[in-house]
Amino acid sequence: MLSTIGRRLLLLVPTLFGLTLLLFFWVRALPGGPAVALLGERATPERVAEINELYGFNEPLVAQYFTWLGQLLQGNFGVSIQTQRPVTEEFVRRFPATLELTMFAIILAVGLGVAIGYWAARRHGRAGDHFAVFASLIGITIPVFFLGVILKWIFAVQLGWLPSDGRQDPRLDATHYTNFYIFDGIITGEWDAAWDAFLHLILPGIALATIPLAIITRITRASVLEVQNSDFVRTGMAKGISRGTIRGRFILRNSLLPVVTTIGLQFGLLLSGAILTESVFAYPGIGSFLSRAIFTRDYPVLQGFILFIAVIYALINLAVDVSYSFIDPRVRVQ
């Protein structure tokens, strides 16, 4: 197992090198540039030339790439053009917010998705199954930004039950050690701050969880349907094995491999795809910061954040592959 993990980590090196090439030249292909985006209407040829010279954007692209690659190898991801702070510092400040939101969304999606998918498969062809399939189709087709606006209008504006934006009420004098607001509130005993941070997670978390919830429901349903009609399940039932053992060890456990794969992919996508959700709810994570970086052509932030996300995504998929052998001992990860 350790040798497998080591080989997969080594394969990550050429993958990331190829990503740096694509990423660098893709970012430079965006129309406009940082100087024009920063200066706006005050952009003059002289001022644009000054900013390009300051950040080295007037050098040949190949020279810029190798300069940036050399900085990466030294652990230097550059400085944000927007905030004038190191990209690594900006990522560390904002990543806990996105991870907290993503964890809430994936727990909601997995908890409900696996349960509903299994329930629908056990009632295959009946009204409950048809309703679950229909609801999952609706969940996949509704755009996240539209659902977010509807949730805000109903639960924040009309009913006033939940906050509409942000991570925490700014009037709270909360202590933040780790930038995971709920965890910080728990370890410091500031329960009002932890509860307020949880309330701020509910609406964006529901909006973000909708699509993975629908996908996990459909994958679980299809996988359970396939397994419960297998020969070994019928054999177990013929031998008089208890219904609980059949459902748990025979059906559900053997249905989990495609579900776990889907969960891993969706978790990585949620980390990288929270831009719309964070923008709608003014949630200060990496998604909303990336959105601003695109409009301001903040090259260092775009390059650094996407690389960070790519590494996290690769590690998540490695963890999913390793988990296969624990779910099903017959599987050997290569």
Side-chain angles (χ1 to χ4, degrees):
M1 182 66 70
L2 291 178
S3 62
T4 298
I5 294 174
R7 287 197 304 271
R8 296 290 292 273
L9 291 176
L10 287 176
L11 286 174
L12 185 59
V13 175
T15 302
L16 290 178
F17 175 73
L19 179 61
T20 61
L21 279 169
L22 294 174
L23 183 59
F24 180 86
F25 290 102
W26 168 75
V27 168
R28 295 307 190 279
L30 293 174
V36 176
L38 282 173
L39 296 173
E41 296 180 354
R42 298 171 297 164
T44 62
E46 294 77 14
R47 291 287 294 146
V48 169
E50 288 178 10
I51 292 179
N52 285 339
E53 183 177 358
L54 176 64
Y55 290 100
F57 297 142
N58 56 347
E59 297 179 4
L61 285 180
V62 175
Q64 290 184 50
Y65 171 74
F66 282 107
T67 299
W68 176 57
L69 187 61
Q71 292 174 344
L72 287 181
L73 295 176
Q74 299 173 24
N76 179 11
F77 287 81
V79 176
S80 169
I81 299 173
Q82 299 177 70
T83 64
Q84 296 300 309
R85 285 195 287 263
V87 171
T88 306
E89 178 184 327
E90 294 289 1
F91 187 84
V92 170
R93 288 179 57 204
R94 288 170 169 80
F95 182 67
T98 298
L99 183 58
E100 202 169 50
L101 176 61
T102 301
M103 289 297 297
F104 179 86
I106 202 68
I107 290 172
L108 185 65
V110 172
L112 291 178
V114 172
I116 295 173
Y118 181 81
W119 178 83
R122 298 295 299 171
R123 288 155 182 80
H124 179 56
R126 287 187 268 175
D129 180 33
H130 295 316
F131 176 77
V133 172
F134 174 74
S136 65
L137 182 61
I138 295 296
I140 292 174
T141 55
I142 294 180
V144 172
F145 66 89
F146 177 75
L147 179 61
V149 172
I150 294 298
L151 290 174
K152 284 178 64 173
W153 184 77
I154 295 174
F155 295 101
V157 177
Q158 295 298 315
L159 299 176
W161 290 353
L162 296 167
S164 61
D165 52 37
R167 288 189 72 190
Q168 200 169 56
D169 191 331
R171 293 171 297 182
L172 288 175
D173 186 20
T175 305
H176 299 141
Y177 290 121
T178 65
N179 275 339
F180 292 95
Y181 283 10
I182 296 177
F183 180 70
D184 287 339
I186 293 173
I187 63 175
T188 59
E190 298 172 352
W191 301 105
D192 57 336
W195 177 247
D196 185 73
F198 175 75
L199 292 178
H200 278 79
L201 273 179
I202 294 176
L203 290 183
I206 292 174
L208 190 60
T210 304
I211 292 178
L213 167 59
I215 293 174
I216 292 170
T217 297
R218 295 177 73 89
I219 295 296
T220 303
R221 175 184 174 274
S223 183
V224 171
L225 281 176
E226 181 181 358
V227 172
Q228 72 181 6
N229 295 319
S230 301
D231 291 338
F232 69 89
V233 173
R234 287 193 290 266
T235 301
M237 295 174 65
K239 289 183 175 181
I241 298 176
S242 67
R243 184 173 297 181
T245 301
I246 293 285
R247 290 179 176 179
R249 294 183 59 185
F250 281 50
I251 297 177
L252 186 58
R253 184 173 181 178
N254 285 281
S255 304
L256 283 181
L257 285 185
V259 177
V260 168
T261 302
T262 303
I263 292 170
L265 293 173
Q266 290 299 314
F267 186 70
L269 290 173
L270 289 180
L271 280 176
S272 58
I275 293 178
L276 289 176
T277 304
E278 292 185 2
S279 299
V280 169
F281 290 94
Y283 197 83
I286 59 175
S288 57
F289 196 68
L290 265 177
S291 177
R292 292 198 301 271
I294 292 172
F295 287 107
T296 59
R297 307 297 187 270
D298 195 339
Y299 293 166
V301 167
L302 289 173
Q303 295 166 172
F305 274 36
I306 294 174
L307 272 179
F308 281 130
I309 293 170
V311 171
I312 294 170
Y313 192 90
L315 293 177
I316 290 172
N317 279 277
L318 174 59
V320 168
D321 289 347
V322 170
S323 70
Y324 289 166
S325 60
F326 294 99
I327 296 172
D328 189 344
R330 297 171 299 176
V331 176
R332 292 292 179 265
V333 181
Q334 300 297 325

